Amino acid sequence: MKKRGLWLFIIGSLLVSVATHFFFYQQWLDKHWMIGPNDGLSQIATFKKFIYENYKSGNFFYAWDFGLGGGFYSQLAYYFSTSLVFLLSSVVIFILDSFQWIDPSNVEFWAQSNLFISIIRLSVILFITSHTFRYMKIQAFPAFTGAVIYGCSVMYMRHVVYWEFFADAFIWLPLVVLGLEKLIREGKQSWLIFAMSATLISNFYFAYIQLIFLILYVLGRWVIPLTDNELPRIKQFKLLVTSGLVSFCISAVAFIPAVYGFFNNYRPPYDREIPLFDLIDNILFASPYIVLPVVFVLLIFTFPLYRNRLFRFFAVFSFVLLIFHLSPLAASAFNGFSAPQYRFEYLLSFTIGGCVAIGLQRLNKIAVRFICLASFISLCIYLLSIDYFDFNIKIPKRAATEFSAVMITVFVLFIMFIILMVLYVYFQKKVLLVTIQLFVILWSIVSVNTAAKYGITENGGLEKVTHHYLMSDQYNSAEQRNLIEQVKRQEPDSLSRIDWMTSMRYNTPIVQNFNGTSLYSSIANKALLWFYWRDLKVDTGHETVSRYGTLGNRANLHALLQTTYWMRKKSQEVNVPYGFKKFAESNKYVIYKSDFSLPFIRTGKNIYSEKQLQTASVLDREHAMLSGVVFEEEATRQKLDLIKEKNAIKQATIKGVGAKYQNNHLSVANDKGGIDIIPGSVQKSTKDFYIGFSIKNVNGDGFPIKVNKYRTTRKPAHSIYKTNINDLIIRVPAKDIISIRLPKGEYELKNLTLYEEDYKELHQAVQAADHSPSFTWEKNKLTIDYNNQTREKWMALPIPFEKGWKLWINGKEQAIEKANYAFIGFKLYNGENHIEMVYHPPYFFPALALTIIGLFAWAMLYLRSKRRESGHLNNQSVKMRSLLMKVDKSRD
């Protein structure tokens, strides 16, 4: 590309990108931020802040304040910890931060910056895509027009707003295509290796999607060759395999820990039937995923264009991806054969862009009658689409009005395109073709801004994402932060936790900079998830996957997990955990502090196994963890001498209140109905009840549950975020009656249990606990010096168990065991124990070695390619000189 043309593409890409974000720039000036109110604020901006702060401080792998503690490099690789776009932007932000020109220490900065990062990202996407199309011998202006259709799409803006890291895939796709084309046409591998490596490093999820695309693309290229001098397929295959292996090696240091994090997560299997086809949206007029440009619809029915191999290739590929869009089964396949998710449509935007680019370039070779035929077919399809969605899909009144406006606009656009195309084909004036292309670009910009206003902002809840909201009680108010800071100033233990989060914001501890008990991440440590869902059945107040939070107001767990403080709104300060006393308060909030705290490092002699406690109640399991340690393995464990608590449900009286309860079936007649459980003879020392039951709505609806003053919710059966675990344990202060209240409906309610807790074991554990041995914890390394004079058998830490930790005692590597269902424990020596624990992401060093090998192999392939080019040029020079000598001799 010549220098002048290069600058035209750069400037044009930047101008179009700025224009595409015009609506959000206006919003930004009014302090409305370009980020989703749910995952955008709960995850995207929050994790960017969290990772940046850790990387800035030189901590790259592990954080105690990541939920209950965890390896964030591995678990957040799905988001940003290995994202090249994020890392590059972080370098720029770090430089600006160093000069104190910006303040990235708060989540609002990252919400604000999303707009400007997106403008730059889209500019890069447009430039790279244009270059890719130019390489395919598409002229400059049509190539840029096709790039605009790809980049300035609804899917791009949707990804940027709701899940920003998804938008990075728009960069890597055209680079992968460029690399494939260079390999197929020239036998060059470097571009493909770079593109695939960048994709694998940045996000393993979209690497999977683009792997499917790559396979389909190569198969399509083998069926429809685009040039006459392509490499033989066998050689292409060999180079593809080599490139794939080198790319995998280069990316290994990021990709392998990320994939481990994915497999160490738990997501309930999606057990609903997935249909083969389903019309979920109207792709001709209004869709949150893909809206077919009018010019594309007209061009794909302009049949003479199919004589061109490049157009035929892109058109057929677009049809295949369109079929995939209409198939929930295909959407499931693109989502790892889980619940159908429509995140792959950016692939379709790319093929549509290529189709339009080559179609516009060859429009001058089409007769008017073919344009008229394409117009007639397209018109029929649009009319049939309106008819189908009018009679088969119910649209809300407001949306119906907006849909009518969109429909009229599309038809006006349709007529204008027909007129312009007919005029151009008939008169063959270049100015008309330029007008068509400008019109396509302008409409792409207008449609995205329109979708941003109505589809994303007004219907997606973005209007509430403002500076005022981010400073409010619903997210991160000054009153909340001041109370948290008061705790941090007065609490000498830097590892102490606070049980607090704003409503449904499980990542509040990251937002407000404190050690909390909650986390919301699509990739989480499954040991912790099972700890909450199955082993200890800790209710989080809301049934949902990918999240854990609070400790169910259970004092035993608070003591075991360093959670000394409990903070709530004053209007919600019910069910305060046992042993907590008021510590501080403000106008709206109150913090309680526990009288019962256990040291961070615990040692002891009593050892139990999970198998021994398999049939025990969760209260018995809590007591086992207080009096000893529970290891996963059964070998060499002592005989269980734990006194099991008695299930008092048989001595209780159960009666329906506004409901009938019989044979595990509960029929609630009104919204305040349910059952009352009247305990039998309650011990005077009983402080709390642990009430347990299994419940589900017979009709599959979601519903709230209220147990005395404690409230929790259950998701509907069809929700993809349902845990599929219906067993609950609710702790409530001991009273004469336990009231379970439900909305009107039919329920299956079974396995009722009732246990009394007097906290004798908690008192004993606190009294018997020694002071925590001296230790230092810096970044990913924990060092403990412990003189085991009392022949303690084990040491347990409230650090979540996960692969990546290594343990050395007195210089010898020792095994780490899973203790207390989800945490770390290990055996001790008598006498001095110098303990070192270091965390690195799983398989980090073997993966790093692979990365070094991959980079070396890439360099070797590049140098070999250069030598071949040089040799080829030398051969050409020799042949030319020989030819010139022959010519000279013939003249003589």
Side-chain angles (χ1 to χ4, degrees):
M1 192 180 295
K2 293 180 180 180
K3 189 174 181 180
R4 180 173 175 272
L6 181 67
W7 278 107
L8 283 174
F9 271 113
I10 292 173
I11 294 169
S13 298
L14 184 59
L15 290 176
V16 169
S17 180
V18 170
T20 302
H21 292 84
F22 179 73
F23 170 77
F24 282 119
Y25 180 69
Q26 288 182 306
Q27 294 289 95
W28 189 89
L29 292 175
D30 293 332
K31 295 190 175 182
H32 286 69
W33 313 131
M34 181 188 169
I35 196 165
N38 299 318
D39 287 349
L41 290 180
S42 291
Q43 291 185 309
I44 305 306
T46 306
F47 288 150
K48 290 173 81 171
K49 167 190 176 294
F50 175 80
I51 296 169
Y52 174 80
E53 288 179 343
N54 276 278
Y55 282 3
K56 178 184 174 182
S57 66
N59 184 33
F60 299 101
F61 302 129
Y62 196 90
W64 171 253
D65 56 349
F66 180 60
L68 288 172
F72 67 88
Y73 178 89
S74 176
Q75 294 180 46
L76 293 183
Y78 177 65
Y79 297 93
F80 297 108
S81 65
T82 62
S83 165
L84 294 178
V85 173
F86 170 74
L87 294 174
L88 184 59
S89 62
S90 292
V91 170
V92 176
I93 289 169
F94 175 75
I95 294 170
L96 298 175
D97 186 15
S98 300
F99 288 101
Q100 298 184 343
W101 292 341
I102 57 173
D103 179 17
S105 64
N106 60 80
V107 170
E108 186 170 22
F109 167 82
W110 296 97
Q112 288 177 280
S113 66
N114 197 28
L115 170 64
F116 301 99
I117 293 172
S118 180
I119 289 173
I120 296 169
R121 182 197 293 110
L122 183 55
S123 302
V124 172
I125 291 166
L126 295 177
F127 178 81
I128 291 173
T129 309
S130 300
H131 180 69
T132 300
F133 289 154
R134 290 285 289 131
Y135 182 79
M136 296 179 180
K137 308 304 179 186
I138 300 175
Q139 295 168 3
F141 204 174
F144 184 73
T145 305
V148 169
I149 287 177
Y150 167 59
C152 303
S153 58
V154 174
M155 179 61 86
Y156 173 79
M157 202 60 72
R158 174 182 170 85
H159 280 177
V160 168
V161 170
Y162 296 129
W163 312 281
E164 188 208 344
F165 60 96
F166 286 1
D168 294 350
F170 276 76
I171 296 175
W172 311 125
L173 178 62
L175 281 175
V176 167
V177 172
L178 178 62
L180 277 170
E181 289 296 331
K182 281 184 171 288
L183 184 146
I184 292 170
R185 297 172 189 232
E186 304 177 51
K188 295 180 179 179
Q189 296 174 268
S190 293
W191 271 105
L192 182 60
I193 290 172
F194 169 75
M196 290 197 297
S197 300
T199 304
L200 289 165
I201 290 169
S202 293
N203 190 280
F204 67 90
Y205 177 77
F206 278 92
Y208 165 74
I209 291 176
Q210 289 187 188
L211 175 63
I212 298 174
F213 176 86
L214 185 149
I215 293 170
L216 294 174
Y217 191 96
V218 171
L219 292 175
R221 288 289 275 105
W222 287 354
V223 173
I224 308 175
L226 300 183
T227 61
D228 296 327
N229 298 315
E230 296 178 357
L231 294 181
R233 292 171 187 170
I234 294 296
K235 190 170 183 180
Q236 288 182 35
F237 179 76
K238 290 178 180 179
L239 291 177
L240 283 168
V241 171
T242 305
S243 301
L245 289 173
V246 173
S247 299
F248 170 76
C249 289
I250 291 173
S251 68
V253 72
F255 182 73
I256 291 177
V259 171
Y260 172 81
F262 171 76
F263 284 110
N264 193 48
N265 182 45
Y266 177 77
R267 201 71 176 260
Y270 186 75
D271 54 7
R272 294 181 64 199
E273 184 179 353
I274 302 175
L276 181 59
F277 288 105
D278 188 15
L279 291 176
I280 62 167
D281 58 357
N282 191 326
I283 58 176
L284 293 175
F285 292 103
S287 166
Y289 310 108
I290 185 77
V291 177
L292 301 186
V294 171
V295 65
F296 169 73
V297 178
L298 287 167
L299 288 172
I300 59 172
F301 293 113
T302 307
F303 298 114
L305 288 173
Y306 287 87
R307 296 170 189 160
N308 180 271
R309 286 183 288 184
L310 185 57
F311 182 87
R312 186 163 68 248
F313 173 76
F314 276 119
V316 171
F317 210 156
S318 297
F319 281 126
V320 171
L321 292 173
L322 272 171
I323 292 169
F324 286 167
H325 174 73
L326 300 174
S327 171
L329 190 61
S332 172
F334 275 103
N335 196 39
F337 297 94
S338 183
Q341 291 283 8
Y342 297 88
R343 296 168 178 162
F344 62 91
E345 280 74 6
Y346 74 102
L347 308 175
L348 177 55
S349 293
F350 179 80
T351 60
I352 287 173
C355 203
V356 170
I358 191 63
L360 291 175
Q361 179 170 301
R362 298 191 61 83
L363 200 57
N364 61 339
K365 302 182 185 303
I366 308 300
V368 172
R369 65 180 184 276
F370 290 110
I371 300 296
C372 294
L373 177 62
S375 303
F376 174 75
I377 296 172
S378 302
L379 180 62
C380 292
I381 290 174
Y382 274 104
L383 291 174
L384 287 171
S385 171
I386 294 171
D387 183 65
Y388 175 83
F389 278 84
D390 188 36
F391 288 102
N392 292 278
I393 295 181
K394 295 180 179 179
I395 300 175
K397 187 174 181 180
R398 178 185 173 186
T401 304
E402 293 174 0
F403 182 77
S404 298
V406 170
M407 182 182 67
I408 293 170
T409 304
V410 169
F411 272 108
V412 170
L413 188 68
F414 181 79
I415 299 301
M416 292 183 68
F417 268 118
I418 292 173
I419 294 171
L420 285 170
M421 288 172 71
V422 169
L423 289 173
Y424 171 67
V425 170
Y426 185 80
F427 291 106
Q428 296 287 315
K429 297 293 185 181
K430 191 174 181 180
V431 66
L432 291 170
L433 180 60
V434 171
T435 303
I436 292 172
Q437 292 173 107
L438 287 173
F439 209 68
V440 171
I441 293 170
L442 181 62
W443 176 246
S444 297
I445 294 169
V446 170
S447 61
V448 170
N449 277 279
T450 304
K453 175 176 172 57
Y454 297 105
I456 296 177
T457 299
E458 293 186 4
N459 292 329
L462 260 71
E463 71 277 358
K464 79 174 185 179
V465 184
T466 64
H467 169 75
H468 176 74
Y469 177 81
L470 266 64
M471 296 295 109
S472 72
D473 291 342
Q474 294 175 282
Y475 193 75
N476 184 24
S477 71
E479 186 177 355
Q480 295 165 358
R481 296 194 304 274
N482 290 337
L483 268 183
I484 296 292
E485 288 302 317
Q486 187 174 339
V487 171
K488 291 165 70 175
R489 284 194 302 269
Q490 298 185 37
E491 174 55 52
D493 184 1
S494 62
L495 301 180
S496 181
R497 297 189 179 279
I498 305 171
D499 188 330
W500 156 249
M501 65 180 192
T502 57
S503 178
M504 292 299 291
R505 300 289 183 184
Y506 286 76
N507 287 327
T508 295
I510 295 175
V511 173
Q512 298 183 349
N513 299 309
F514 66 91
N515 302 324
T517 60
S518 57
L519 179 70
Y520 172 28
S521 172
S522 292
I523 307 295
N525 184 348
K526 67 181 177 184
L528 287 173
L529 296 178
W530 282 123
F531 178 84
Y532 271 83
W533 297 348
R534 179 191 63 192
D535 300 323
L536 274 297
K537 298 178 183 177
V538 184
D539 185 73
T540 63
H542 306 275
E543 180 194 14
T544 182
V545 299
S546 304
R547 297 172 179 144
Y548 61 80
T550 83
L551 294 172
N553 304 340
R554 287 152 63 172
N556 295 330
L557 297 181
H558 276 264
L560 285 162
L561 299 180
Q562 304 294 291
T563 311
T564 313
Y565 297 90
W566 189 86
M567 176 175 166
R568 293 294 185 275
K569 278 186 176 181
K570 286 185 175 179
S571 59
Q572 297 175 333
E573 58 174 323
V574 295
N575 288 353
V576 179
Y578 170 77
F580 279 71
K581 303 288 178 61
K582 189 175 289 186
F583 172 79
E585 63 181 319
S586 62
N587 184 39
K588 299 178 184 176
Y589 300 94
V590 59
I591 293 183
Y592 290 80
K593 183 178 181 180
S594 175
D595 289 336
F596 302 97
S597 59
L598 292 171
F600 174 74
I601 300 171
R602 296 181 63 231
T603 60
K605 296 183 176 67
N606 293 336
I607 299 176
Y608 310 102
S609 73
E610 290 185 11
K611 186 175 181 180
Q612 287 175 304
L613 295 167
Q614 193 168 3
T615 59
S617 69
V618 297
L619 191 53
D620 291 329
R621 295 175 184 179
E622 287 183 5
H623 291 166
M625 292 189 290
L626 287 168
S627 63
V629 67
V630 181
F631 282 122
E632 184 176 31
E633 300 298 328
E634 186 180 10
T636 70
R637 303 306 179 216
Q638 65 194 42
K639 184 179 178 181
L640 182 66
D641 58 357
L642 190 71
I643 299 174
K644 289 189 176 182
E645 298 296 330
K646 180 183 177 182
N647 183 2
I649 196 66
K650 291 183 179 179
Q651 287 73 46
T653 302
I654 302 173
K655 65 178 184 179
V657 178
K660 293 182 180 179
Y661 181 53
Q662 190 174 11
N663 298 326
N664 296 331
H665 184 85
L666 178 64
S667 179
V668 180
N670 58 63
D671 282 342
K672 294 184 179 180
I675 61 171
D676 280 349
I677 301 173
I678 304 169
S681 56
V682 179
Q683 299 293 323
K684 289 183 179 180
S685 59
T686 298
K687 302 297 189 297
D688 286 338
F689 289 138
Y690 278 47
I691 178 71
F693 50 87
S694 177
I695 188 169
K696 64 180 179 179
N697 189 299
V698 173
N699 298 320
D701 299 326
F703 58 98
I705 305 171
K706 194 173 182 182
V707 182
N708 290 3
K709 293 183 178 181
Y710 184 87
R711 189 180 186 276
T712 187
T713 61
R714 309 299 292 170
K715 288 198 173 295
H718 62 79
S719 172
I720 63 175
Y721 301 110
K722 185 174 176 59
T723 63
N724 294 329
I725 296 172
N726 300 313
D727 296 333
L728 298 177
I729 296 292
I730 306 296
R731 167 265 170 194
V732 292
K735 291 186 177 180
D736 295 334
I737 297 177
I738 301 169
S739 300
I740 299 177
R741 295 293 181 264
L742 299 159
K744 181 179 180 180
E746 304 294 321
Y747 302 89
E748 181 184 82
L749 178 64
K750 60 183 181 180
N751 301 333
L752 281 165
T753 60
L754 176 63
Y755 293 92
E756 300 176 23
E757 172 62 303
D758 58 9
Y759 292 105
K760 180 179 68 175
E761 288 79 5
L762 177 59
H763 283 264
Q764 291 173 345
V766 171
Q767 291 172 3
D770 293 329
H771 291 293
S772 182
S774 63
F775 69 93
T776 57
W777 190 344
E778 185 177 356
K779 298 173 183 175
N780 62 324
K781 183 178 181 180
L782 175 64
T783 304
I784 305 169
D785 286 303
Y786 176 61
N787 189 359
N788 188 12
Q789 296 179 339
T790 55
R791 296 180 177 271
E792 303 298 300
K793 294 182 179 179
W794 52 264
M795 179 177 285
L797 306 170
I799 299 174
F801 179 86
E802 61 180 304
K803 193 176 185 69
W805 281 107
K806 294 288 185 181
L807 167 69
W808 293 268
I809 301 180
N810 299 333
K812 296 181 181 179
E813 187 170 356
Q814 302 289 335
I816 293 177
E817 298 191 54
K818 187 167 75 169
N820 295 336
Y821 296 97
F823 300 92
I824 282 177
F826 46 85
K827 299 172 187 175
L828 291 170
Y829 295 121
N830 295 330
E832 289 292 340
N833 287 259
H834 178 69
I835 299 163
E836 288 187 355
M837 287 176 54
V838 178
Y839 176 86
H840 288 102
Y843 312 108
F844 181 76
F845 290 107
L848 181 60
L850 279 176
T851 294
I852 295 170
I853 293 170
L855 290 170
F856 179 77
W858 186 19
M860 292 298 99
L861 288 173
Y862 178 77
L863 291 174
R864 188 175 68 176
S865 174
K866 284 296 181 183
R867 283 197 297 268
R868 285 179 178 174
E869 285 184 25
S870 177
H872 178 70
L873 289 173
N874 288 335
N875 290 335
Q876 291 291 100
S877 298
V878 170
K879 289 179 180 179
M880 183 61 69
R881 284 198 298 269
S882 176
L883 181 62
L884 290 173
M885 289 174 65
K886 288 179 181 179
V887 170
D888 290 340
K889 286 180 180 180
S890 64
R891 286 177 179 175
D892 293 341

